[in-house]
Amino acid sequence: MAVGFDTVCFNVLEEIRKTEDIKIIACIPCENQDYNFSFAQKKEYNRMLLSSDEKIYLGKEYTKACMLKRNRYLVDNSSVLVVYSRKETGGTVYTKNYALKKGVPIIEI
């Protein structure tokens, strides 16, 4: 989970879960992911963790590669990738290209 689009998606999934039988699985790149979050971000992050049906931690400590590892895990374990990107470089674009290589369908918002 991350601040921004991940949070928006999580909130949408919570609304869907009210009427549909879905599970929300939090894919967390490292145990201390919220280390540099603001107080408000930490509060929302912890609320989302409590609301999650399952939590998957991919590492102990933050590293330069932990978000990349998380993004690959998401693609490798998804039937579709929902993407929102405003630029032509960065982690989202890398993840989109990885999904294309793996044959995972992409929905761009």
Side-chain angles (χ1 to χ4, degrees):
M1 294 188 321
V3 174
F5 187 62
D6 287 13
T7 302
V8 171
C9 290
F10 192 96
N11 291 329
V12 169
L13 291 172
E14 284 181 310
E15 286 300 313
I16 293 169
R17 186 172 60 184
K18 290 177 181 178
T19 58
E20 302 295 328
D21 185 23
I22 65 166
K23 284 186 178 182
I24 300 176
I25 301 171
C27 185
I28 306 154
C30 57
E31 291 178 12
N32 64 341
Q33 180 185 9
D34 66 342
Y35 177 75
N36 285 320
F37 289 4
S38 70
F39 176 78
Q41 290 167 333
K42 285 183 182 193
K43 186 175 178 182
E44 177 63 5
Y45 178 80
N46 286 317
R47 187 199 68 75
M48 291 188 306
L49 288 178
L50 289 172
S51 178
S52 298
D53 297 298
E54 185 179 336
K55 294 161 206 59
I56 298 171
Y57 290 91
L58 299 177
K60 291 263 185 204
E61 299 290 326
Y62 180 86
T63 66
K64 287 183 178 182
C66 73
M67 293 305 286
L68 175 66
K69 182 178 178 182
R70 187 236 17 193
N71 291 347
R72 285 182 182 168
Y73 181 91
L74 290 172
V75 170
D76 291 341
N77 291 279
S78 296
S79 57
V80 66
L81 179 69
V82 178
V83 175
Y84 173 70
S85 182
R86 295 176 289 173
K87 52 187 179 176
E88 298 297 320
T89 61
T92 302
V93 174
Y94 174 86
T95 304
K96 178 182 161 184
N97 290 332
Y98 181 71
L100 286 169
K101 289 178 188 173
K102 300 289 270 184
V104 175
I106 298 170
I107 299 171
E108 291 193 60
I109 297 176

